[in-house]
């Protein structure tokens, strides 16, 4: 039994799930899904029309957070949600922060305007949206920098699901060259640790002809 | 020790948490927070600036989904997340659907344009946004109707957290009179069951001078 993962390379939600599956050493096959084309078979798998979708012979799963919790319940080693209820709370709070607020304020704007619009043929990028995305990045990265000055990992003293959520978004933003790493020393140090995990390798070696070329440090573990 | 809940009456996320706390018979004190005024003490409690925030002597919690999971871990009776991993998955998938997609497509548009904009003095409602919200409502309610024709509760054979998430949004939409119940027999039947729970009573008896009057059936259990 192998999982099939319907994904799109620059979706942070797909990247998070790929990282988590690899971290837990779960085998899966990648299938690219151009979700904006609204293929009928895909809409039937997930009426929300979003990637990722994870399938095996018995189940069809959509919505990345619900999938990650399901994977954690079935494959608890290594543990990515802490046992302590308050640490678990902070992990989930940060996942929501990242997957909703960071995505809305930053990733959807920068990756959306600069790459997805072109790929999806939705017209030229809007400078105002990119400016908003850049301003959002300053706010969010200042917050991460504040947190990582006080704790080793995004949600506390342990590596958790929140680290994979954050690393997934940041890897998309780094791919399009939107991060000036000199401004964020704690975040840079944490991201270097995340990038050096074996689970990260397939993401870093992935280059897509249609995308702008990533900056030279994108796959450099000691950037 | 009593919890203090910083809330706003027409926030579906606050309503969900109020319903869940009441269902579990946890005492709490309500404090109205006009979150859009960005009170400094409130921003310090929650840098995202959103309601609800739940506090006691030791902790300050924000982000309604993370809070609900924490409350479930501390007060597991009655259980609102199923034990079976696949049922648990479906519960979380539906919570994301409701709190992200339904909120984005419907609640934020209809409640936002018709009530919040006025209360927050953000100008007159935009007809196009209201029209989009009404179209979204048709899509989402058709989906709920489809689900509730096949299962007793929103996420499967048991009442779960997803039912409280859905009831919270629907109670906001019903408050502003945007639901024509004749179109949705399964949903109407399910909502009547939810409304008849003791946890629902405080919400239904709440009328705010500044809001438009709710329709006559809003607090009628046999509407």
């Amino acid at each position: 039994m192998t999982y099939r993962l319907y994904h799109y390379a620059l979706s942070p939600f797909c990247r998070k799930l790929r990282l988590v599956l690899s971290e837990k050493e779960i085998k899966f096959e990648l299938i690219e899904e151009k979700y904006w084309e609204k293929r009928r078979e895909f809409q039937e798998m997930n009426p929300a029309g979003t990637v990722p979708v994870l399938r095996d012979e018995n189940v069809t799963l959509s919505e990345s957070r619900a999938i990650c919790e399901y994977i954690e319940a079935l494959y608890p080693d290594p543990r990515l949600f802490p046992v302590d209820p308050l640490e678990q709370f902070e992990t989930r709070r940060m996942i929501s922060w990242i997957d909703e607020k960071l995505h809305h304020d930053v990733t959807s704007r920068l990756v959306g305007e600069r790459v997805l619009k072109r790929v999806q043929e939705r017209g030229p990028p809007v400078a105002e949206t990119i400016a908003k995305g850049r301003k959002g990045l300053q706010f969010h990265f200042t917050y991460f920098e504040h947190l990582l000055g006080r704790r080793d990992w995004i949600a506390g003293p342990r590596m958790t699901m929140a680290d994979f959520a954050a690393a997934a978004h940041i890897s998309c933003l780094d791919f399009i060259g939107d991060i000036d790493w000199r401004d964020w020393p704690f975040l840079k140090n944490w991201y270097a640790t995340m990038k050096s995990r074996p689970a990260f390798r397939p993401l870093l070696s992935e280059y897509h002809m249609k995308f702008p070329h990533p900056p030279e440090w994108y796959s450099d573990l000691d950037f």
Side-chain angles (χ1 to χ4, degrees), chain A:
Chain A
M1 188 195 76
T2 309
Y3 285 112
R4 271 169 299 162
L5 177 60
Y6 295 81
H7 87 123
Y8 189 69
L10 272 184
S11 153
F13 310 110
C14 295
R15 287 186 169 222
K16 174 182 65 176
L17 184 53
R18 288 169 65 186
L19 290 170
V20 165
L21 291 170
S22 298
E23 187 72 22
K24 291 175 179 282
E25 298 181 17
I26 301 164
K27 285 211 168 68
F28 61 97
E29 182 192 335
L30 273 179
I31 299 162
E32 184 181 66
E33 181 67 41
K34 293 176 177 162
Y35 56 91
W36 59 91
E37 292 178 354
K38 298 182 187 289
R39 197 163 61 84
R40 203 167 57 108
E41 294 86 344
F42 185 68
Q43 292 294 122
E44 279 164 16
M45 284 191 247
N46 176 18
T50 56
V51 282
V53 165
L54 188 68
R55 272 195 122 169
D56 68 8
E57 286 75 45
N58 306 308
V59 294
T60 301
L61 309 171
S62 59
E63 209 286 302
S64 76
R65 260 185 291 184
I67 300 174
C68 285
E69 297 256 10
Y70 176 78
I71 290 295
E72 176 82 358
L74 259 60
Y75 311 90
D77 182 36
R79 201 171 235 291
L80 295 180
F81 284 97
V83 182
D84 175 72
L86 209 53
E87 282 187 35
Q88 208 176 96
F89 160 78
E90 184 63 2
T91 302
R92 291 204 180 92
R93 184 185 76 85
M94 285 309 301
I95 293 169
S96 287
W97 180 288
I98 292 157
D99 279 350
E100 290 181 53
K101 196 167 164 55
L102 175 70
H103 185 253
H104 174 269
D105 297 347
V106 186
T107 324
S108 73
R109 286 175 176 153
L110 295 178
V111 177
E113 289 298 322
R114 299 188 49 197
V115 185
L116 299 185
K117 257 185 153 177
R118 180 155 27 130
V119 176
Q120 298 169 7
E121 295 171 359
R122 285 193 286 113
V126 175
E128 197 194 335
T129 308
I130 292 175
K132 272 190 191 170
R134 291 217 169 107
K135 205 179 150 192
L137 188 145
Q138 295 297 313
F139 168 78
H140 280 275
F141 279 34
T142 301
Y143 184 50
F144 288 142
E145 197 68 6
H146 164 86
L147 292 177
L148 291 168
R150 282 154 187 80
R151 34 169 96 154
D152 288 341
W153 301 92
I154 291 284
R158 256 165 284 279
M159 188 183 74
T160 67
M161 190 67 80
D163 293 288
F164 290 94
H169 282 268
I170 288 173
S171 75
C172 291
L173 295 169
D174 197 31
F175 188 89
I176 59 172
D178 261 327
I179 303 173
D180 185 342
W181 285 107
R182 291 168 302 183
D183 296 339
W184 320 104
F186 288 117
L187 192 65
K188 182 182 171 178
N189 188 39
W190 163 87
Y191 188 54
T193 309
M194 292 302 291
K195 267 168 84 169
S196 68
R197 303 192 76 79
F200 234 98
R201 252 175 245 148
L203 255 68
L204 296 176
S205 63
E206 216 167 49
Y207 292 86
H208 293 264
M209 301 296 289
K210 277 190 208 153
F211 299 151
H213 233 53
E216 66 270 25
W217 62 76
Y218 174 70
S219 56
D220 177 3
L221 301 185
D222 304 310
F223 68 124

